[in-house]
Amino acid sequence: MSTSVDGLVSGMQTSSMINQLMQVEAAPQTKLKTKVETAQTAVTSYQSVNAKLKAVKSAAESMARLETWRAVKATSSSDAVTATASGSVSSMAGAITFDVEKVARAQTSVLRVDTTSETFPTQFTIQKGGWADTDDDPLTENDAFTPDDTDPAVIEVGTPPTAAKVAAAVNAADIGIRAYVVTTGPNQGALQFTSSKTGAAQGFEITGLVDPSNPGEEITSSSSRDASLKLNPGTPSEYKVTSSTNTFTDVMPGVTITASKVQTGVTVTAASDVSAMTAKIQAYVDAANAAFTEIKTQTAYDAETKTGSPLTGDFTVRQMNQAMLSMISGGLTYDKKIFDANGEVESTEQVSFGSLSQLGIELDATGQLSFTASKFEAEYAKDPSRIQSGAIGFANQVKETVTKQSNTVTDVITGRKNEIDSLNEQVSNWDVRLSARRMALQRQYAALETALGKMQNQSTWLAGQLSGLS
């Protein structure tokens, strides 16, 4: 264990001398630490560039998706019917006309009751199924009931059996039917049962629920039913579609239709949503410009101050910027896939699309991209298929190029991180070496002070002896 020996005999500041010597000894380690800091700064810069490249790739992927070009905007001629585009790849522009013949409803059954009665049965059954109620009148004994494949639910009513306990027992059974009591007058009420879902298959039949204290009262019901649309009404090609809810998803590709009341002569139109397409192209342009700016920032050099940025002189990164710009300025030629009847790629055809200004994309004098939506929309209106194919071809080229660039940057980042790990290991090894060197210097100077102390003692003794002789 070393101790401070400052000035015990010699009066020298040995600790300061050791520290100065250690600074010289630590010079190689200091250089290693500087290399680590430089490498870490470079890694951060590479990661920043890579994040921008990945954003460009994501925007290109979105622009290349078929659903982007199948996007439609749906409208309805009726306030009672809403039409919403689902954004599906199956979406298609077009229009349909229909009548809303029925809206979906849940079955409701009511039993008039004496709210004070305690003579309800302690047990009754409810069977789920569907009614053949073609006239939509209240259900009668002439309307056929078809039970589903579930067993009847046996409802056990607590005692004393009141209307409120009947409702509570039904709710506790959790069979998709809600029950409650509505007070209609002094000691009078209605025990109401309602299926929790709409649709013709969501009906039910109650058996054994009578109140001997209130004879003559029977359960009255309106059946559950499906919603129904009549397509192409009044024409030889008319037909009907039904839904257990008021929402129809299969009537028009990529459009969801919801009806709220009976209506005739409703027209739903789905038109190409060009605004959705322009938004995707604008997103690509914004992402590309952000990448150009980031690369320029990370590779910049200030000639006046003679200072560079973390990636100044990095040819790989600077070349990325040029490669992406060349794709814009050089015009577009791409390979178009030809599919067979089974949806398999049969062949490819090289297409010369020409200037990307047809997509509204142009390169300005500052090295940034601009997008003019009106130019794109005008060209798309002339030939939607050609513009769509060109935009997808361009997006696929961007995606391929940027993927390679991003992979290259990722490899560089991995290499730099490995280099940092190696440098840090060397720094750690130097810590051990320098610690040993400091201890050696401390022992050396401590021994020097001890030797000087002995010499001083001997000198004093000799001086005393000589003085005695004289």
Side-chain angles (χ1 to χ4, degrees):
M1 179 175 178
S2 62
T3 58
S4 175
V5 294
D6 283 356
L8 288 176
V9 177
S10 65
M12 295 186 299
Q13 296 294 318
T14 53
S15 292
S16 176
M17 293 174 62
I18 290 173
N19 287 336
Q20 291 177 26
L21 289 170
M22 289 306 301
Q23 287 181 3
V24 176
E25 295 279 354
Q29 186 191 50
T30 301
K31 290 181 179 180
L32 288 174
K33 289 180 177 179
T34 300
K35 286 184 178 181
V36 170
E37 291 176 0
T38 301
Q40 287 175 332
T41 300
V43 165
T44 300
S45 296
Y46 281 121
Q47 289 173 332
S48 183
V49 169
N50 210 19
K52 300 300 182 183
L53 291 175
K54 289 180 178 179
V56 175
K57 178 183 176 182
S58 178
E61 288 175 338
S62 184
M63 189 165 66
R65 292 190 187 101
L66 189 57
E67 53 262 38
T68 294
W69 303 93
R70 291 282 179 85
V72 297
K73 187 180 293 183
T75 57
S76 170
S77 64
S78 170
D79 293 337
V81 175
T82 60
T84 306
S86 62
S88 168
V89 70
S90 63
S91 299
M92 295 178 63
I96 58 171
T97 300
F98 56 87
D99 294 339
V100 182
E101 292 190 314
K102 296 179 182 178
V103 292
R105 72 181 180 194
Q107 177 176 332
T108 299
S109 298
V110 175
L111 176 64
R112 301 285 180 178
V113 297
D114 179 348
T115 55
T116 63
S117 172
E118 297 181 349
T119 59
F120 285 90
T122 57
Q123 186 183 88
F124 63 95
T125 62
I126 299 179
Q127 174 65 58
K128 303 288 289 296
W131 292 94
D133 181 23
T134 56
D135 55 11
D136 282 338
D137 288 335
L139 292 173
T140 67
E141 59 184 11
N142 295 321
D143 292 312
F145 177 76
T146 303
D148 62 14
D149 57 1
T150 61
D151 294 331
V154 178
I155 309 300
E156 301 286 351
V157 182
T159 57
T162 62
K165 288 186 176 179
V166 169
V170 172
N171 294 333
D174 193 22
I175 56 174
I177 299 172
R178 308 305 298 169
Y180 51 94
V181 179
V182 179
T183 300
T184 58
N187 300 334
Q188 295 180 342
L191 179 55
Q192 181 163 316
F193 306 85
T194 305
S195 53
S196 58
K197 294 182 180 179
T198 60
Q202 299 298 322
F204 56 89
E205 183 178 45
I206 302 174
T207 304
L209 181 60
V210 293
D211 182 8
S213 69
N214 199 17
E217 289 295 341
E218 296 182 353
I219 297 174
T220 58
S221 301
S222 59
S223 66
S224 57
R225 70 182 180 197
D226 291 336
S228 174
L229 303 183
K230 182 191 290 185
L231 279 296
N232 310 315
T235 70
S237 59
E238 72 176 25
Y239 62 95
K240 294 183 180 182
V241 293
T242 61
S243 171
S244 61
T245 68
N246 289 320
T247 299
F248 295 80
T249 58
D250 299 326
V251 175
M252 194 173 190
V255 176
T256 297
I257 297 171
T258 303
S260 60
K261 66 179 182 180
V262 173
Q263 190 87 43
T264 59
V266 179
T267 299
V268 168
T269 303
S272 294
D273 189 1
V274 181
S275 63
M277 303 172 194
T278 60
K280 298 297 185 182
I281 300 176
Q282 183 66 65
Y284 158 72
V285 168
D286 292 343
N289 284 335
F292 295 150
T293 299
E294 186 64 24
I295 291 173
K296 184 177 180 180
T297 299
Q298 297 295 347
T299 59
Y301 178 77
D302 190 330
E304 291 185 5
T305 61
K306 294 184 170 44
T307 56
S309 301
L311 303 183
T312 298
D314 190 310
F315 173 77
T316 300
V317 174
R318 297 181 69 88
Q319 189 272 338
M320 291 176 181
N321 199 68
Q322 188 58 43
M324 287 193 289
L325 289 173
S326 297
M327 294 180 65
I328 309 299
S329 60
L332 174 64
T333 299
Y334 66 96
D335 290 331
K336 182 179 180 181
K337 295 178 181 179
I338 309 298
F339 297 90
D340 60 20
N342 297 320
E344 301 292 333
V345 177
E346 188 175 53
S347 61
T348 58
E349 172 189 353
Q350 191 172 71
V351 178
S352 178
F353 182 80
S355 173
L356 288 175
S357 63
Q358 298 172 87
L359 301 179
I361 300 174
E362 294 179 286
L363 181 64
D364 65 23
T366 66
Q368 293 278 291
L369 303 184
S370 64
F371 173 61
T372 306
S374 58
K375 288 185 179 181
F376 165 77
E377 291 169 1
E379 293 295 330
Y380 184 80
K382 293 177 187 176
D383 192 344
S385 178
R386 179 174 178 275
I387 296 301
Q388 171 187 327
S389 181
I392 292 176
F394 171 66
N396 284 331
Q397 284 188 4
V398 170
K399 183 172 62 174
E400 181 179 354
T401 298
V402 174
T403 297
K404 291 179 180 178
Q405 293 175 336
S406 180
N407 289 342
T408 298
V409 174
T410 299
D411 290 341
V412 172
I413 291 172
T414 301
R416 286 298 184 94
K417 286 184 175 179
N418 290 338
E419 177 188 354
I420 290 170
D421 290 342
S422 176
L423 290 171
N424 281 329
E425 185 177 354
Q426 294 178 54
V427 169
S428 297
N429 292 337
W430 267 100
D431 284 336
V432 176
R433 191 180 309 170
L434 291 172
S435 177
R437 181 57 178 157
R438 178 178 289 275
M439 292 178 66
L441 288 171
Q442 288 174 338
R443 285 195 298 266
Q444 181 179 342
Y445 277 99
L448 176 62
E449 290 293 331
T450 300
L452 286 173
K454 289 180 179 180
M455 291 175 65
Q456 189 178 56
N457 290 337
Q458 289 176 354
S459 176
T460 300
W461 181 82
L462 286 173
Q465 292 299 316
L466 291 172
S467 176
L469 291 173
S470 62

